[in-house]
């Protein structure tokens, strides 16, 4: 579903190379986890895939279902089925959460040639999905993420994902700042979306999220590259010994 080849990325503003040849292939129906020390380029990878400004791709490619995405606008990537849950969700004062969700969902349906949802249909779906994430009616009415706690912001990211039903879901440290109960809600939300036709790239610092979202494949990223790939046992090894053993071994 997602195939990244030899991806090299530098900052536009300074001559700083951040991704130094990322190779990654994620198959439909699978959950891949990326772990790695702080500063290794995990968020940069997720930003570059989703089309954030400020980065220059100097080499390599990223294909979604066989089509190059790196030249597309962010909304075109979203319409193609890509979704990113941010490590740091952005507050959008003045834009109601419900309006935001409905606009996003309908824009995406339109891009796919599907009919827009009526307000009745939309309300029914959003209430049901919000309920399962313990997002109350008040949070749906407030401006996007404004005054939300860290955990509420992260749950709101998962609500967006559940509403948009993307094919390729990227979650950047969605577990950071969550207590155990909130993390379980988030994991349940992700697990409910697991499907043959959908894939996940779960970026996480800690193994504990992977107790709840069982990955098929675990990658370790360091200094702008994937340096090691294995099964779920790799995450347990990181939990037990930290990154230094693995980094020494590949050095
Ligand atoms: P991770 O998510 O793995 O912690 P990041 O992708 O956030 O890593 O960062 C990778 C490296 O790139 C870090 O050294 C970080 O300081 C640097 N970096 C990322 N974005 C910027 C930026 N806009 N300006 C300066 N340095 C940046
Ligand atoms: Mg970081
Ligand atoms: Mg990060």
């Amino acid at each position: 579903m997602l195939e990244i080849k030899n991806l090299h990325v530098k900052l536009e503003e300074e001559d700083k190379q951040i991704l130094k040849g990322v190779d990654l292939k994620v198959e439909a129906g699978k959950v891949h986890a990326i772990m790695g020390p702080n500063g290794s380029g995990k968020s940069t990878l997720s930003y570059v895939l989703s089309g954030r400004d400020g980065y220059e791709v100097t080499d390599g490619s990223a294909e979604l279902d066989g089509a190059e995405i790196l030249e597309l606008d962010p909304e075109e990537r979203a319409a193609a089925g890509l979704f990113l849950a941010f490590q740091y969700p952005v507050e959008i004062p003045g834009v109601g959460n419900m309006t935001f969700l409905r606009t996003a969902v309908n824009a995406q349906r339109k891009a796919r040639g599907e009919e827009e949802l009526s307000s009745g249909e939309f309300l029914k779906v959003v209430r049901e999905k919000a309920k399962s994430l313990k997002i109350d009616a008040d949070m749906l009415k407030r401006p996007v993420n404004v005054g939300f706690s860290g955990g509420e912001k992260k749950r709101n990211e998962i609500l967006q994902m559940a509403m948009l039903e993307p094919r390729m879901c990227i979650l950047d440290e969605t577990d950071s700042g969550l207590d155990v109960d909130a993390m379980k809600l988030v994991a349940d939300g992700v697990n409910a979306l697991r499907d043959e036709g959908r894939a996940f790239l779960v970026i996480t610092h800690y193994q504990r999220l992977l107790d709840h979202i069982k990955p098929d494949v675990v990658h370790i990223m360091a200094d702008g590259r994937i340096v090691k790939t294995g099964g779920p046992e790799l995450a347990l090894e990181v939990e037990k010994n930290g990154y230094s053993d693995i980094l020494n071994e590949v050095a």
Side-chain angles (χ1 to χ4, degrees):
M1 178 173 290
L2 177 69
E3 185 162 16
I4 303 169
K5 286 186 198 153
N6 194 34
L7 185 60
H8 285 70
V9 172
K10 70 182 262 307
L11 293 175
E12 238 163 36
E13 295 285 304
E14 356 170 351
D15 203 22
K16 183 174 177 186
Q17 198 75 32
I18 299 180
L19 300 184
K20 303 173 182 173
V22 174
D23 287 293
L24 181 66
K25 203 166 162 178
V26 182
E27 309 82 4
K30 303 286 186 202
V31 174
H32 284 232
I34 297 186
M35 304 181 78
N38 243 325
S40 55
K42 305 182 298 297
S43 290
T44 301
L45 176 64
S46 68
Y47 292 148
V48 169
L49 290 174
S50 51
R52 183 175 177 164
D53 286 340
Y55 301 98
E56 187 187 327
V57 175
T58 54
D59 203 0
S61 62
E63 294 182 353
L64 186 64
D65 297 317
E68 178 62 59
I69 57 166
L70 295 177
E71 298 297 319
L72 302 178
D73 291 335
E75 59 271 26
E76 293 173 323
R77 302 182 199 205
L82 192 81
F83 177 86
L84 168 63
F86 290 128
Q87 178 172 5
Y88 303 108
V90 183
E91 297 188 3
I92 315 179
V95 178
N97 206 15
M98 194 85 102
T99 308
F100 173 77
L101 284 170
R102 190 165 165 215
T103 306
V105 166
N106 280 334
Q108 203 172 62
R109 291 179 74 94
K110 209 168 153 193
R112 290 174 182 164
E114 294 165 9
E115 245 180 84
E116 294 192 0
L117 289 180
S118 70
S119 25
E121 287 166 325
F122 174 79
L123 270 179
K124 186 167 170 270
V125 180
V126 79
R127 283 191 180 135
E128 185 187 298
K129 294 192 194 276
K131 195 174 166 200
S132 67
L133 287 160
K134 292 210 162 65
I135 291 174
D136 62 30
D138 183 52
M139 269 171 69
L140 289 175
K141 282 185 209 140
R142 273 150 59 187
V144 181
N145 291 325
V146 175
F148 288 23
S149 72
E152 286 171 343
K153 285 180 179 171
K154 296 299 177 86
R155 277 185 278 143
N156 206 36
E157 295 289 293
I158 303 301
L159 176 63
Q160 290 167 24
M161 185 169 83
M163 290 303 298
L164 290 167
E165 300 186 325
R167 284 176 28 79
M168 182 70 234
C169 308
I170 306 172
L171 283 76
D172 189 8
E173 295 202 28
T174 301
D175 51 333
S176 66
L178 295 187
D179 59 34
V180 179
D181 291 332
M183 195 177 60
K184 267 218 82 210
L185 281 175
V186 162
D188 290 346
V190 170
N191 289 329
L193 285 172
R194 282 180 88 150
D195 182 272
E196 292 281 289
R198 183 172 286 134
F200 292 86
L201 195 54
V202 178
I203 297 170
T204 181
H205 220 62
Y206 300 104
Q207 200 276 331
R208 56 173 204 171
L209 181 69
L210 305 178
D211 283 336
H212 302 287
I213 304 173
K214 300 246 182 294
D216 298 293
V217 182
V218 175
H219 307 276
I220 307 296
M221 190 162 180
D223 194 23
R225 284 189 200 93
I226 304 288
V227 296
K228 191 166 182 178
T229 295
E233 74 285 348
L234 194 50
L236 295 169
E237 192 185 322
V238 167
E239 176 83 348
K240 202 163 147 241
N241 303 322
Y243 290 110
S244 51
D245 285 5
I246 293 171
L247 299 188
N248 288 335
E249 175 194 323
V250 298

